[in-house]
Amino acid sequence: QVQLAESGGGLVQSGGSLRLSCIYSITHSNVNAIGWSRQAPGKERELVAAVTFDEITKYSDSVKGRFTISRDNTKNTVYLQMNSLKPEDTAVYYCNAGLYVYGGYHPSRAYWGQGTQVTVSL
């Protein structure tokens, strides 16, 4: 079983920073990575970053160099540090759990948090 809970969203001006947190609980599951996805109004859901339990990280091209994903084992928490935010980063951000295999991250359909809103103003 996997439980995920996001926090840390909010309103920020363009160029600003936010840090999202995802507290996770994983029992009796074969997931080996946690990721962050986002969905803006009228757009498809986009995977932005993922981190494996072996600390391998992956980023989408749209956030590479601006966002950093990290994991704190002691707190069962994954963070998404978002810097140099742009209005196009505005979206609901979701934490998810899945498998990292063959160099790619594949979120499970079943393991998603409720989402947290990030709004970046001009």
Side-chain angles (χ1 to χ4, degrees):
Q1 185 175 4
V2 178
Q3 294 180 318
L4 305 159
E6 308 97 334
S7 62
L11 173 65
V12 64
Q13 286 188 329
S14 181
S17 298
L18 279 176
R19 188 177 78 161
L20 306 182
S21 300
C22 173
I23 298 176
Y24 59 87
S25 173
I26 300 174
T27 57
H28 306 296
S29 175
N30 64 344
V31 299
N32 65 359
I34 302 290
W36 285 96
S37 300
R38 67 185 181 186
Q39 188 164 24
K43 294 188 177 180
E44 292 188 358
R45 193 169 288 186
E46 173 192 17
L47 177 66
V48 297
V51 59
T52 72
F53 294 164
D54 293 332
E55 308 305 328
I56 296 170
T57 58
K58 296 284 286 187
Y59 297 93
S60 68
D61 288 342
S62 61
V63 306
K64 199 172 293 182
R66 300 188 297 122
F67 290 11
T68 302
I69 191 169
S70 61
R71 192 169 71 99
D72 185 335
N73 292 343
T74 65
K75 297 180 180 179
N76 280 5
T77 302
V78 170
Y79 302 101
L80 185 68
Q81 178 66 44
M82 306 185 294
N83 299 329
S84 302
L85 283 162
K86 305 174 182 179
E88 51 263 45
D89 294 317
T90 295
V92 178
Y93 283 70
Y94 298 91
C95 179
N96 48 69
L99 288 175
Y100 183 86
V101 293
Y102 306 117
Y105 173 64
H106 306 276
S108 167
R109 291 183 179 181
Y111 306 140
W112 289 75
Q114 293 300 306
T116 185
Q117 176 71 45
V118 171
T119 303
V120 184
S121 64
L122 289 169

